[in-house]
PDB file of all heavy atoms in Angstrom:
ATOM      1  N   SER A 221     109.958 119.538 111.238  1.00 92.00           N
ATOM      2  CA  SER A 221     111.324 119.236 110.816  1.00 92.00           C
ATOM      3  C   SER A 221     111.321 118.792 109.355  1.00 92.00           C
ATOM      4  O   SER A 221     110.259 118.631 108.754  1.00 92.00           O
ATOM      5  CB  SER A 221     111.933 118.132 111.689  1.00 92.00           C
ATOM      6  OG  SER A 221     111.319 116.893 111.387  1.00 92.00           O
ATOM      7  N   CYS A 222     112.496 118.539 108.797  1.00 92.00           N
ATOM      8  CA  CYS A 222     112.601 118.142 107.393  1.00 92.00           C
ATOM      9  C   CYS A 222     111.975 116.771 107.125  1.00 92.00           C
ATOM     10  O   CYS A 222     111.610 116.474 105.987  1.00 92.00           O
ATOM     11  CB  CYS A 222     114.054 118.167 106.931  1.00 92.00           C
ATOM     12  SG  CYS A 222     115.142 117.081 107.859  1.00 92.00           S
ATOM     13  N   ASP A 223     111.810 115.951 108.164  1.00 91.00           N
ATOM     14  CA  ASP A 223     111.169 114.650 107.949  1.00 91.00           C
ATOM     15  C   ASP A 223     109.654 114.713 108.141  1.00 91.00           C
ATOM     16  O   ASP A 223     108.960 113.703 108.092  1.00 91.00           O
ATOM     17  CB  ASP A 223     111.780 113.566 108.837  1.00 91.00           C
ATOM     18  CG  ASP A 223     111.526 113.769 110.327  1.00 91.00           C
ATOM     19  OD1 ASP A 223     110.803 114.721 110.711  1.00 91.00           O
ATOM     20  OD2 ASP A 223     112.059 112.968 111.121  1.00 91.00           O
ATOM     21  N   GLY A 224     109.127 115.933 108.367  1.00 92.00           N
ATOM     22  CA  GLY A 224     107.696 116.122 108.494  1.00 92.00           C
ATOM     23  C   GLY A 224     107.147 115.979 109.899  1.00 92.00           C
ATOM     24  O   GLY A 224     105.953 116.165 110.114  1.00 92.00           O
ATOM     25  N   SER A 225     107.995 115.671 110.874  1.00 92.00           N
ATOM     26  CA  SER A 225     107.494 115.526 112.239  1.00 92.00           C
ATOM     27  C   SER A 225     107.379 116.890 112.915  1.00 92.00           C
ATOM     28  O   SER A 225     108.137 117.812 112.631  1.00 92.00           O
ATOM     29  CB  SER A 225     108.395 114.597 113.059  1.00 92.00           C
ATOM     30  OG  SER A 225     109.706 115.096 113.135  1.00 92.00           O
ATOM     31  N   GLN A 226     106.401 116.995 113.816  1.00 94.00           N
ATOM     32  CA  GLN A 226     106.160 118.243 114.529  1.00 94.00           C
ATOM     33  C   GLN A 226     107.251 118.471 115.560  1.00 94.00           C
ATOM     34  O   GLN A 226     107.671 117.543 116.249  1.00 94.00           O
ATOM     35  CB  GLN A 226     104.797 118.188 115.210  1.00 94.00           C
ATOM     36  CG  GLN A 226     104.365 119.493 115.806  1.00 94.00           C
ATOM     37  CD  GLN A 226     102.941 119.435 116.325  1.00 94.00           C
ATOM     38  OE1 GLN A 226     102.114 118.672 115.833  1.00 94.00           O
ATOM     39  NE2 GLN A 226     102.654 120.230 117.328  1.00 94.00           N
ATOM     40  N   ILE A 227     107.706 119.711 115.662  1.00 92.00           N
ATOM     41  CA  ILE A 227     108.730 120.089 116.634  1.00 92.00           C
ATOM     42  C   ILE A 227     108.089 121.005 117.669  1.00 92.00           C
ATOM     43  O   ILE A 227     107.396 121.960 117.315  1.00 92.00           O
ATOM     44  CB  ILE A 227     109.904 120.818 115.948  1.00 92.00           C
ATOM     45  CG1 ILE A 227     110.619 119.881 114.972  1.00 92.00           C
ATOM     46  CG2 ILE A 227     110.873 121.375 116.980  1.00 92.00           C
ATOM     47  CD1 ILE A 227     111.728 120.542 114.188  1.00 92.00           C
ATOM     48  N   THR A 228     108.323 120.735 118.938  1.00 91.00           N
ATOM     49  CA  THR A 228     107.802 121.574 120.002  1.00 91.00           C
ATOM     50  C   THR A 228     108.632 122.844 120.095  1.00 91.00           C
ATOM     51  O   THR A 228     109.854 122.787 120.203  1.00 91.00           O
ATOM     52  CB  THR A 228     107.835 120.835 121.353  1.00 91.00           C
ATOM     53  OG1 THR A 228     107.051 119.647 121.235  1.00 91.00           O
ATOM     54  CG2 THR A 228     107.286 121.695 122.470  1.00 91.00           C
ATOM     55  N   VAL A 229     107.958 123.980 120.028  1.00 88.00           N
ATOM     56  CA  VAL A 229     108.604 125.287 120.123  1.00 88.00           C
ATOM     57  C   VAL A 229     108.026 125.975 121.352  1.00 88.00           C
ATOM     58  O   VAL A 229     106.797 126.039 121.497  1.00 88.00           O
ATOM     59  CB  VAL A 229     108.331 126.129 118.852  1.00 88.00           C
ATOM     60  CG1 VAL A 229     108.932 127.502 118.966  1.00 88.00           C
ATOM     61  CG2 VAL A 229     108.854 125.403 117.619  1.00 88.00           C
ATOM     62  N   PRO A 230     108.880 126.502 122.252  1.00 85.00           N
ATOM     63  CA  PRO A 230     108.355 127.126 123.466  1.00 85.00           C
ATOM     64  C   PRO A 230     107.380 128.278 123.184  1.00 85.00           C
ATOM     65  O   PRO A 230     106.362 128.396 123.845  1.00 85.00           O
ATOM     66  CB  PRO A 230     109.595 127.647 124.184  1.00 85.00           C
ATOM     67  CG  PRO A 230     110.739 126.921 123.575  1.00 85.00           C
ATOM     68  CD  PRO A 230     110.332 126.516 122.204  1.00 85.00           C
ATOM     69  N   ALA A 231     107.676 129.109 122.201  1.00 88.00           N
ATOM     70  CA  ALA A 231     106.802 130.238 121.881  1.00 88.00           C
ATOM     71  C   ALA A 231     107.138 130.781 120.506  1.00 88.00           C
ATOM     72  O   ALA A 231     108.276 130.673 120.051  1.00 88.00           O
ATOM     73  CB  ALA A 231     106.960 131.345 122.910  1.00 88.00           C
ATOM     74  N   PHE A 232     106.139 131.345 119.856  1.00 91.00           N
ATOM     75  CA  PHE A 232     106.338 132.045 118.602  1.00 91.00           C
ATOM     76  C   PHE A 232     106.220 133.536 118.871  1.00 91.00           C
ATOM     77  O   PHE A 232     105.511 133.952 119.784  1.00 91.00           O
ATOM     78  CB  PHE A 232     105.290 131.626 117.559  1.00 91.00           C
ATOM     79  CG  PHE A 232     105.529 130.263 116.989  1.00 91.00           C
ATOM     80  CD1 PHE A 232     104.894 129.149 117.529  1.00 91.00           C
ATOM     81  CD2 PHE A 232     106.385 130.084 115.921  1.00 91.00           C
ATOM     82  CE1 PHE A 232     105.114 127.890 117.009  1.00 91.00           C
ATOM     83  CE2 PHE A 232     106.612 128.825 115.388  1.00 91.00           C
ATOM     84  CZ  PHE A 232     105.974 127.723 115.940  1.00 91.00           C
ATOM     85  N   SER A 233     106.875 134.341 118.068  1.00 92.00           N
ATOM     86  CA  SER A 233     106.787 135.789 118.166  1.00 92.00           C
ATOM     87  C   SER A 233     105.850 136.278 117.072  1.00 92.00           C
ATOM     88  O   SER A 233     105.993 135.886 115.916  1.00 92.00           O
ATOM     89  CB  SER A 233     108.183 136.400 117.990  1.00 92.00           C
ATOM     90  OG  SER A 233     108.112 137.799 117.996  1.00 92.00           O
ATOM     91  N   TRP A 234     104.886 137.114 117.420  1.00 93.00           N
ATOM     92  CA  TRP A 234     103.883 137.592 116.471  1.00 93.00           C
ATOM     93  C   TRP A 234     104.027 139.091 116.273  1.00 93.00           C
ATOM     94  O   TRP A 234     104.318 139.816 117.208  1.00 93.00           O
ATOM     95  CB  TRP A 234     102.479 137.294 116.993  1.00 93.00           C
ATOM     96  CG  TRP A 234     102.209 135.838 117.151  1.00 93.00           C
ATOM     97  CD1 TRP A 234     102.369 135.104 118.291  1.00 93.00           C
ATOM     98  CD2 TRP A 234     101.771 134.926 116.148  1.00 93.00           C
ATOM     99  NE1 TRP A 234     102.039 133.789 118.052  1.00 93.00           N
ATOM    100  CE2 TRP A 234     101.666 133.659 116.735  1.00 93.00           C
ATOM    101  CE3 TRP A 234     101.436 135.060 114.800  1.00 93.00           C
ATOM    102  CZ2 TRP A 234     101.248 132.538 116.042  1.00 93.00           C
ATOM    103  CZ3 TRP A 234     101.018 133.947 114.101  1.00 93.00           C
ATOM    104  CH2 TRP A 234     100.927 132.702 114.718  1.00 93.00           C
ATOM    105  N   GLN A 235     103.796 139.532 115.035  1.00 91.00           N
ATOM    106  CA  GLN A 235     103.767 140.964 114.750  1.00 91.00           C
ATOM    107  C   GLN A 235     102.921 141.219 113.519  1.00 91.00           C
ATOM    108  O   GLN A 235     102.636 140.295 112.761  1.00 91.00           O
ATOM    109  CB  GLN A 235     105.171 141.525 114.554  1.00 91.00           C
ATOM    110  CG  GLN A 235     105.913 140.960 113.354  1.00 91.00           C
ATOM    111  CD  GLN A 235     107.325 141.506 113.248  1.00 91.00           C
ATOM    112  OE1 GLN A 235     107.920 141.879 114.250  1.00 91.00           O
ATOM    113  NE2 GLN A 235     107.855 141.544 112.053  1.00 91.00           N
ATOM    114  N   THR A 236     102.490 142.447 113.335  1.00 89.00           N
ATOM    115  CA  THR A 236     101.680 142.826 112.188  1.00 89.00           C
ATOM    116  C   THR A 236     102.493 143.708 111.253  1.00 89.00           C
ATOM    117  O   THR A 236     103.392 144.425 111.705  1.00 89.00           O
ATOM    118  CB  THR A 236     100.392 143.553 112.623  1.00 89.00           C
ATOM    119  OG1 THR A 236      99.644 143.906 111.470  1.00 89.00           O
ATOM    120  CG2 THR A 236     100.687 144.802 113.424  1.00 89.00           C
ATOM    121  N   SER A 237     102.189 143.643 109.981  1.00 89.00           N
ATOM    122  CA  SER A 237     102.863 144.523 109.024  1.00 89.00           C
ATOM    123  C   SER A 237     102.116 145.848 108.873  1.00 89.00           C
ATOM    124  O   SER A 237     102.626 146.778 108.286  1.00 89.00           O
ATOM    125  CB  SER A 237     102.991 143.834 107.662  1.00 89.00           C
ATOM    126  OG  SER A 237     101.709 143.558 107.142  1.00 89.00           O
ATOM    127  N   ASP A 238     100.891 145.946 109.417  1.00 89.00           N
ATOM    128  CA  ASP A 238     100.107 147.173 109.334  1.00 89.00           C
ATOM    129  C   ASP A 238      99.229 147.312 110.576  1.00 89.00           C
ATOM    130  O   ASP A 238      98.071 146.887 110.587  1.00 89.00           O
ATOM    131  CB  ASP A 238      99.247 147.179 108.066  1.00 89.00           C
ATOM    132  CG  ASP A 238      98.527 148.496 107.842  1.00 89.00           C
ATOM    133  OD1 ASP A 238      98.641 149.411 108.706  1.00 89.00           O
ATOM    134  OD2 ASP A 238      97.841 148.627 106.817  1.00 89.00           O
TER     135      ASP A 238
END
Side-chain angles (χ1 to χ4, degrees):
S221 71
C222 59
D223 66 4
S225 60
Q226 188 173 332
I227 296 176
T228 301
V229 177
F232 286 95
S233 176
W234 298 94
Q235 64 183 27
T236 180
S237 62
D238 186 357

